[in-house]
Amino acid sequence: MKTRDRLRIAMQKSGRLTEPALDLLNRCGLTFRQSRDKLFCFGEGEPVDLLLVRDDDIPGLIAQGVCDLGIVGRNVLSEYRLTAGREAEELAEWRALGFGRCRLSIAVPQELDYREAAQLQGQRIATSYPGLLGEWLRERGIDAGVVTLAGSVEIAPRLGTADAICDLVQSGGTLVANQLREAEVLLESEAVLAGAKALPSDERGDMIELLLKRLDGVIQVRESRLLLLQTSRHALEAVIRLLPGGPQPTLLPVAGQPDQLMLQALCAGEVSWRQLEEIKKAGAREMFVLPVEKMLA
Ligand code: ATP
Ligand code: ZN
């Protein structure tokens, strides 16, 4: 097979992961020629192209080497690892991306007095995730019937084709609408960056490493705030004690005011009004909280 020199990333063509995945890649400095209705988008600037496919196809495309990376739900990747045999062993979850959060859960009819997993013994459970459900049942020594359905799993109990379901849950609204109740969580899922365990040994491998660094910056920045404030030298210790977590703050002199310092601190999360008021009480003034646009460690 002719080796490619451009990196190829697979992502969902149209669905819940599409917009956030594209936004994330854009933030990493990747832009693509607009052809969102088509399968292939040529990357401008960096040698990275996009393949737009059904999310279920993404792990297989990576395993076959058609794509180098993919943005896909952990639920889909884990299911593939359990059901696709040897080629799936070569896949790795490179990064968790913080969007597309949901749970793979077993849900039972609301009227059932559910207390423990042993009650699932002998029951029929409908799911699109036979691999993950099968493993969970096996680990607990529960012998239940797994009814594999491609979609509309949530109506199976009402149709009488199953006693319970194992499906993705986000808010739980779909379960309530179908008179079901979440009973067990099998997997906490979110979108992940998946790829082959071994990096390609050519320029594509270098590009993946570069991308991972940018991605780490983007993910970290999303939650980071830069806190700027002025404080007198004698209040400094008290102010520093109240700073939200992060690396050591930077201190700068203030022109014409030898007793004053300007403090700059990177905070790992939101800085609340309450925290600002506390820091101010300790002696700070002229406080600013700024979002961070880019970060390169
Ligand atoms: P296609 O197969 O056409 O790409 P799909 O219907 O399988 O689309 P979506 O419903 O868009 O896919 O879901 C894609 C992913 O979004 C899921 O695999 C899961 O990781 C995540 N997700 C987050 N919340 C939910 C939810 N409430 N229901 C389903 N998936 C969710
Ligand atoms: Zn799908």
Side-chain angles (χ1 to χ4, degrees):
M1 198 173 93
K2 187 180 172 296
T3 57
R4 283 179 285 113
D5 50 359
R6 294 175 65 86
L7 199 71
R8 207 178 276 164
I9 305 180
M11 58 169 261
Q12 193 183 25
K13 182 177 162 112
S14 128
R16 292 169 204 263
L17 305 182
T18 307
E19 286 306 324
L22 201 60
D23 179 61
L24 187 70
L25 294 176
N26 289 160
R27 283 172 197 270
C28 290
L30 303 182
T31 52
F32 304 92
R33 242 175 247 164
Q34 288 295 328
S35 65
R36 300 267 306 276
D37 51 329
K38 300 216 193 85
L39 184 72
F40 189 83
C41 296
F42 186 81
E44 301 167 320
E46 309 287 0
V48 182
D49 303 321
L50 265 192
L51 207 60
L52 302 174
V53 294
R54 285 201 55 195
D55 65 344
D56 316 72
D57 295 335
I58 293 174
L61 289 168
I62 302 169
Q64 291 154 23
V66 177
C67 293
D68 306 288
L69 297 171
I71 296 177
V72 66
R74 179 178 294 135
N75 49 301
V76 172
L77 181 65
S78 306
E79 179 67 16
Y80 180 82
R81 277 173 165 166
L82 289 170
T83 51
R86 295 241 348 248
E87 60 181 15
E89 289 166 20
E90 303 308 314
L91 293 190
E93 180 182 314
W94 281 107
R95 294 291 186 277
L97 303 177
F99 59 87
R101 284 185 204 277
C102 56
R103 313 179 285 284
L104 181 68
S105 296
I106 292 178
V108 297
Q110 276 169 3
E111 65 273 14
L112 182 77
D113 176 27
Y114 185 90
R115 279 159 285 114
E116 50 170 13
Q119 285 170 266
L120 298 168
Q121 178 75 27
Q123 304 285 298
R124 296 161 305 160
I125 309 174
T127 190
S128 308
Y129 296 86
L132 286 163
L133 174 59
E135 182 188 59
W136 188 87
L137 292 169
R138 246 188 331 278
E139 280 170 357
R140 283 157 187 78
I142 298 167
D143 191 13
V146 175
V147 182
T148 304
L149 300 177
S152 303
V153 168
E154 65 281 0
I155 58 169
R158 266 196 292 160
L159 296 178
T161 51
D163 306 299
I165 67 164
C166 171
D167 203 4
L168 297 177
V169 182
Q170 197 179 37
S171 64
T174 310
L175 294 185
V176 173
N178 288 282
Q179 289 114 48
L180 297 167
R181 182 157 64 86
E182 198 170 355
E184 300 279 355
V185 177
L186 278 57
L187 178 80
E188 297 278 354
S189 186
E190 65 189 280
V192 302
L193 183 75
K197 267 185 200 156
L199 290 184
S201 53
D202 52 19
E203 305 87 7
R204 286 179 297 153
D206 300 338
M207 190 66 217
I208 291 178
E209 279 183 1
L210 182 86
L211 251 187
L212 288 176
K213 281 201 197 104
R214 287 190 189 175
L215 200 55
D216 288 339
V218 169
I219 292 169
Q220 212 180 341
V221 153
R222 225 171 20 199
E223 275 105 47
S224 297
R225 299 289 179 274
L226 188 69
L227 175 63
L228 299 176
L229 58 81
Q230 268 195 38
T231 173
S232 64
R233 284 180 192 273
H234 83 265
L236 182 63
E237 206 180 308
V239 167
I240 287 182
R241 226 179 294 129
L242 290 172
L243 293 180
Q248 280 296 315
T250 310
L251 299 172
L252 303 164
V254 177
Q257 300 181 59
D259 176 47
Q260 291 289 310
L261 286 168
M262 156 106 177
L263 180 152
Q264 169 185 309
L266 192 67
C267 305
E270 279 287 348
V271 183
S272 68
W273 282 109
R274 195 46 63 80
Q275 283 171 313
L276 282 184
E277 285 151 5
E278 290 294 315
I279 297 169
K280 187 169 170 142
K281 249 188 243 159
R285 55 196 182 87
E286 303 288 334
M287 306 175 73
F288 295 91
V289 180
L290 306 173
V292 179
E293 162 102 7
K294 286 196 179 71
M295 195 146 80
L296 188 63

